[in-house]
Structures are given as C-alpha cells and as structure tokens.
Amino acid sequence: MSNRSGNILTVDEAAEKRRSIRKYLPGPIPRSDMDDILRLTGLAPSSFNTQPWRFVVVEDPGTKEKLAEAAYNQRQVVSAPAVIVLYTDMADALATVNEVLPPGMDAAGKENLRSLITNTYGSLAAADREAFGAGQGYIALGYLMLIAEAHGYQTSPMLGFDPEAVKKLLGLPAHVRIPALVAIGKGAEEGFPHHRHSLSRISRYA
Ligand SMILES: Cc1cc2nc3c(=O)[nH]c(=O)nc-3n(C[C@H](O)[C@H](O)[C@H](O)COP(=O)(O)O)c2cc1C
C-alpha cells in the first residue's frame, strides 16, 4: 500500500504509542486512509477464514449524536470525526461461505471444507454461533487499533453502549453481535500512560 504519511510506525512502535484517546481534532478522515485501515484490518486471521467482521463507519454528525446517546453519551463518540461500529455476523458468514473458500483449491477440496465449516458452526445454537463470531471480531479490533495508530490515527475502543439501540439506529439485523465501537481520528490529548501487569504476573513457561 502507498505510504501517504511517509511515516508508518512499526508494530512495536504502534503498540508502545497506542492509548485510548477520548478527545479529537476536528476534520474528516480521508476516505482513502479509512479504506487502507479497514482493508489491512481485514487481513486479520479467523477460524476457517470465516471473516465474520463487518464495519459501519459513522461520520454523519446527526448519526454520531444518536450513536453517542446509545453509548451513554461518551464524549469520544461526538468528538471523533468517525466511529467505526465493528459488528460480526456469523449467519451471513455461513450463508456466503463460498466467498471464503481458497480460490486455488480443487472442487472436491472446496466441498469438503464447505461441509466442515457448515457442520462445525451450523450445529451450534444461533446465539452460541454469534458469540463465537464476536470472539473473532476482537481479533479484528486489535488489528484495527494497531493499524490506525501506525497510520497516524488514534482510537478509543468502547463496550459501553446499548447494542440493541446501536442495531436499531444503523438498521443491523437482530442476530449480529457488536464486539466494540471504535472512535477514530487525530488525537487532541495524550491519554493515560500505560499501566500494565509485569510480564511475570501474566506469563510463565512450561
Ligand atoms: C473491548 C474494550 C472496551 C472498552 N470500553 C470502553 C468504554 O466503553 N469507554 C471507555 O472510555 N474506554 C473503554 N475501553 C478502554 C479501556 O479502558 C482501556 O483500553 C484501558 O484502560 C487501557 O488503557 P489504554 O487503552 O489507554 O492503554 C475499552 C477497551 C476495550 C479493549
């Protein structure tokens, strides 16, 4: 991809620099930048390559105001030039499974894989299947925040919202899950310094 800013951070740099940012500079995000960030986010891995994540980029001020209401008036929703509603739809992923089968695979291989995916997830209760999809969505969330940071944009992930109100506002199907809302833009504050467990507190070798 082209390097528009001329200064894309390494993964290490983006991880060190990223903080949740709740106050943003005004001004729209160029569509090409947003498309780059979302395309790279879509490179995230998922079980059987099901890719159940979907994105609604909310930029319209009136829609953002309503989204803020659904997010308990968290200030970053209105402050950010865009809020990405990251939702997952396993029913759609299963209904369109042909789209994610490897193009280089022969017909028999594709049929086997299609059956495997359909049997694996089709045998789950719908709610469990969608909960599984939401788990995949959090992989995309991690990618999204790091990629945005690397490309000069700050983010604020949010779980503080009423999912039913967000679905109603955006016309999303009732069965989908919303792993997070993500405010995104050029940050206008530093955010809080990292305060994290030590490595020994969270890891061991066996
Ligand atoms: C899934 C998820 C949901 C979160 N929900 C909210 C939220 O609703 N509101 C908020 O202000 N911060 C929210 N946060 C931000 C966390 O509080 C923050 O990531 C954490 O305190 C670490 O700080 P940092 O992101 O600045 O490193 C959320 C973070 C994650 C990953």
mmCIF file of all heavy atoms in Angstrom, residues 1 7 10 12 36 41 44 46 54 87 89 91 104-105 112 115 140 158 169 187 205:
data_model
loop_
_atom_site.group_PDB
_atom_site.id
_atom_site.type_symbol
_atom_site.label_atom_id
_atom_site.label_comp_id
_atom_site.label_asym_id
_atom_site.label_seq_id
_atom_site.Cartn_x
_atom_site.Cartn_y
_atom_site.Cartn_z
ATOM 1 N N MET A 1 0.844 -1.194 0.000
ATOM 2 C CA MET A 1 0.000 0.000 0.000
ATOM 3 C C MET A 1 0.872 1.233 0.000
ATOM 4 O O MET A 1 2.009 1.215 0.450
ATOM 5 C CB MET A 1 -0.911 -0.097 1.207
ATOM 6 C CG MET A 1 -0.630 0.850 2.290
ATOM 7 S SD MET A 1 -1.693 0.700 3.667
ATOM 8 C CE MET A 1 -1.629 2.410 4.057
ATOM 9 N N ASN A 7 5.384 8.103 7.029
ATOM 10 C CA ASN A 7 5.947 7.690 8.308
ATOM 11 C C ASN A 7 5.019 6.704 9.004
ATOM 12 O O ASN A 7 4.340 7.046 9.967
ATOM 13 C CB ASN A 7 6.176 8.928 9.191
ATOM 14 C CG ASN A 7 6.790 8.559 10.517
ATOM 15 O OD1 ASN A 7 7.507 7.571 10.615
ATOM 16 N ND2 ASN A 7 6.507 9.347 11.543
ATOM 17 N N THR A 10 6.274 1.116 13.041
ATOM 18 C CA THR A 10 6.402 -0.334 13.122
ATOM 19 C C THR A 10 5.344 -0.857 14.109
ATOM 20 O O THR A 10 4.758 -0.083 14.885
ATOM 21 C CB THR A 10 7.786 -0.755 13.635
ATOM 22 O OG1 THR A 10 7.914 -0.299 14.988
ATOM 23 C CG2 THR A 10 8.915 -0.179 12.776
ATOM 24 N N ASP A 12 5.873 -2.586 16.759
ATOM 25 C CA ASP A 12 6.346 -2.306 18.124
ATOM 26 C C ASP A 12 6.060 -0.855 18.508
ATOM 27 O O ASP A 12 5.588 -0.566 19.617
ATOM 28 C CB ASP A 12 7.860 -2.546 18.239
ATOM 29 C CG ASP A 12 8.218 -4.010 18.198
ATOM 30 O OD1 ASP A 12 7.377 -4.816 17.758
ATOM 31 O OD2 ASP A 12 9.346 -4.359 18.595
ATOM 32 N N ASP A 36 -7.748 2.172 3.617
ATOM 33 C CA ASP A 36 -6.488 1.456 3.872
ATOM 34 C C ASP A 36 -6.535 0.754 5.233
ATOM 35 O O ASP A 36 -6.158 -0.414 5.367
ATOM 36 C CB ASP A 36 -5.294 2.434 3.870
ATOM 37 C CG ASP A 36 -4.865 2.832 2.464
ATOM 38 O OD1 ASP A 36 -5.250 2.142 1.496
ATOM 39 O OD2 ASP A 36 -4.131 3.829 2.337
ATOM 40 N N THR A 41 -7.076 -4.179 8.266
ATOM 41 C CA THR A 41 -7.753 -4.855 9.385
ATOM 42 C C THR A 41 -8.355 -6.176 8.914
ATOM 43 O O THR A 41 -8.312 -7.187 9.619
ATOM 44 C CB THR A 41 -8.854 -3.945 9.966
ATOM 45 O OG1 THR A 41 -8.243 -2.772 10.484
ATOM 46 C CG2 THR A 41 -9.634 -4.649 11.066
ATOM 47 N N ALA A 44 -6.768 -9.715 9.188
ATOM 48 C CA ALA A 44 -6.730 -10.474 10.449
ATOM 49 C C ALA A 44 -7.132 -11.932 10.182
ATOM 50 O O ALA A 44 -7.967 -12.199 9.303
ATOM 51 C CB ALA A 44 -7.676 -9.841 11.463
ATOM 52 N N SER A 46 -8.934 -15.620 11.014
ATOM 53 C CA SER A 46 -10.156 -16.064 11.686
ATOM 54 C C SER A 46 -10.319 -17.563 11.465
ATOM 55 O O SER A 46 -9.762 -18.121 10.511
ATOM 56 C CB SER A 46 -11.382 -15.324 11.122
ATOM 57 O OG SER A 46 -11.448 -15.473 9.719
ATOM 58 N N ARG A 54 -17.720 -7.065 10.180
ATOM 59 C CA ARG A 54 -18.278 -6.073 9.250
ATOM 60 C C ARG A 54 -18.097 -4.698 9.923
ATOM 61 O O ARG A 54 -18.063 -4.613 11.148
ATOM 62 C CB ARG A 54 -19.777 -6.320 8.992
ATOM 63 C CG ARG A 54 -20.145 -7.766 8.611
ATOM 64 C CD ARG A 54 -19.751 -8.117 7.176
ATOM 65 N NE ARG A 54 -20.188 -9.464 6.799
ATOM 66 C CZ ARG A 54 -19.374 -10.533 6.783
ATOM 67 N NH1 ARG A 54 -18.092 -10.422 7.135
ATOM 68 N NH2 ARG A 54 -19.832 -11.716 6.410
ATOM 69 N N TYR A 87 -19.084 -4.904 13.886
ATOM 70 C CA TYR A 87 -20.035 -5.961 14.263
ATOM 71 C C TYR A 87 -19.675 -7.256 13.566
ATOM 72 O O TYR A 87 -18.864 -7.266 12.630
ATOM 73 C CB TYR A 87 -21.488 -5.527 13.999
ATOM 74 C CG TYR A 87 -21.935 -5.469 12.568
ATOM 75 C CD1 TYR A 87 -22.626 -6.538 11.994
ATOM 76 C CD2 TYR A 87 -21.726 -4.343 11.789
ATOM 77 C CE1 TYR A 87 -23.087 -6.483 10.684
ATOM 78 C CE2 TYR A 87 -22.172 -4.291 10.475
ATOM 79 C CZ TYR A 87 -22.855 -5.364 9.928
ATOM 80 O OH TYR A 87 -23.300 -5.309 8.632
ATOM 81 N N ASP A 89 -21.210 -11.074 12.037
ATOM 82 C CA ASP A 89 -22.426 -11.694 11.525
ATOM 83 C C ASP A 89 -22.088 -13.100 11.033
ATOM 84 O O ASP A 89 -21.737 -13.302 9.867
ATOM 85 C CB ASP A 89 -22.983 -10.826 10.387
ATOM 86 C CG ASP A 89 -24.369 -11.283 9.935
ATOM 87 O OD1 ASP A 89 -24.752 -12.430 10.246
ATOM 88 O OD2 ASP A 89 -25.065 -10.496 9.273
ATOM 89 N N ALA A 91 -24.156 -15.620 10.775
ATOM 90 C CA ALA A 91 -25.194 -16.136 9.870
ATOM 91 C C ALA A 91 -24.845 -15.750 8.432
ATOM 92 O O ALA A 91 -24.929 -16.579 7.510
ATOM 93 C CB ALA A 91 -26.563 -15.580 10.267
ATOM 94 N N GLY A 104 -7.586 -21.368 -4.940
ATOM 95 C CA GLY A 104 -6.722 -22.359 -5.585
ATOM 96 C C GLY A 104 -7.111 -23.805 -5.298
ATOM 97 O O GLY A 104 -6.510 -24.741 -5.831
ATOM 98 N N MET A 105 -8.104 -24.009 -4.446
ATOM 99 C CA MET A 105 -8.463 -25.370 -4.022
ATOM 100 C C MET A 105 -9.324 -26.055 -5.094
ATOM 101 O O MET A 105 -10.139 -25.395 -5.750
ATOM 102 C CB MET A 105 -9.236 -25.275 -2.704
ATOM 103 C CG MET A 105 -9.445 -26.573 -1.985
ATOM 104 S SD MET A 105 -10.274 -26.256 -0.394
ATOM 105 C CE MET A 105 -8.893 -26.328 0.711
ATOM 106 N N ASN A 112 -15.403 -30.382 0.641
ATOM 107 C CA ASN A 112 -15.066 -30.885 1.982
ATOM 108 C C ASN A 112 -15.005 -29.750 2.995
ATOM 109 O O ASN A 112 -15.530 -29.853 4.107
ATOM 110 C CB ASN A 112 -13.698 -31.580 1.958
ATOM 111 C CG ASN A 112 -13.809 -32.991 1.454
ATOM 112 O OD1 ASN A 112 -14.899 -33.572 1.429
ATOM 113 N ND2 ASN A 112 -12.677 -33.556 1.035
ATOM 114 N N SER A 115 -18.402 -28.272 3.782
ATOM 115 C CA SER A 115 -19.158 -29.127 4.715
ATOM 116 C C SER A 115 -18.619 -28.994 6.137
ATOM 117 O O SER A 115 -19.387 -28.935 7.100
ATOM 118 C CB SER A 115 -19.049 -30.596 4.313
ATOM 119 O OG SER A 115 -19.554 -30.777 3.045
ATOM 120 N N ALA A 140 -10.022 -8.728 15.004
ATOM 121 C CA ALA A 140 -10.052 -7.572 14.100
ATOM 122 C C ALA A 140 -9.908 -6.264 14.884
ATOM 123 O O ALA A 140 -9.241 -5.328 14.423
ATOM 124 C CB ALA A 140 -11.343 -7.572 13.293
ATOM 125 N N MET A 158 -14.706 0.922 22.634
ATOM 126 C CA MET A 158 -15.793 1.060 23.621
ATOM 127 C C MET A 158 -16.703 -0.160 23.659
ATOM 128 O O MET A 158 -17.149 -0.642 22.619
ATOM 129 C CB MET A 158 -16.681 2.261 23.264
ATOM 130 C CG MET A 158 -16.108 3.595 23.596
ATOM 131 S SD MET A 158 -17.102 4.884 22.785
ATOM 132 C CE MET A 158 -16.360 4.925 21.173
ATOM 133 N N LEU A 169 -30.446 1.905 15.360
ATOM 134 C CA LEU A 169 -30.015 3.140 14.702
ATOM 135 C C LEU A 169 -29.461 2.868 13.311
ATOM 136 O O LEU A 169 -29.728 3.617 12.367
ATOM 137 C CB LEU A 169 -28.941 3.834 15.573
ATOM 138 C CG LEU A 169 -28.282 5.076 14.985
ATOM 139 C CD1 LEU A 169 -29.304 6.208 14.830
ATOM 140 C CD2 LEU A 169 -27.112 5.532 15.866
ATOM 141 N N GLY A 187 -5.788 12.461 17.478
ATOM 142 C CA GLY A 187 -5.962 12.709 18.907
ATOM 143 C C GLY A 187 -5.629 14.138 19.307
ATOM 144 O O GLY A 187 -4.719 14.753 18.755
ATOM 145 N N TYR A 205 6.543 -20.067 31.557
ATOM 146 C CA TYR A 205 6.936 -21.063 30.549
ATOM 147 C C TYR A 205 6.735 -22.445 31.150
ATOM 148 O O TYR A 205 7.042 -22.664 32.317
ATOM 149 C CB TYR A 205 8.400 -20.871 30.125
ATOM 150 C CG TYR A 205 8.635 -19.575 29.390
ATOM 151 C CD1 TYR A 205 8.908 -18.390 30.078
ATOM 152 C CD2 TYR A 205 8.559 -19.522 28.002
ATOM 153 C CE1 TYR A 205 9.103 -17.200 29.419
ATOM 154 C CE2 TYR A 205 8.751 -18.329 27.319
ATOM 155 C CZ TYR A 205 9.037 -17.167 28.032
ATOM 156 O OH TYR A 205 9.222 -15.998 27.365
#
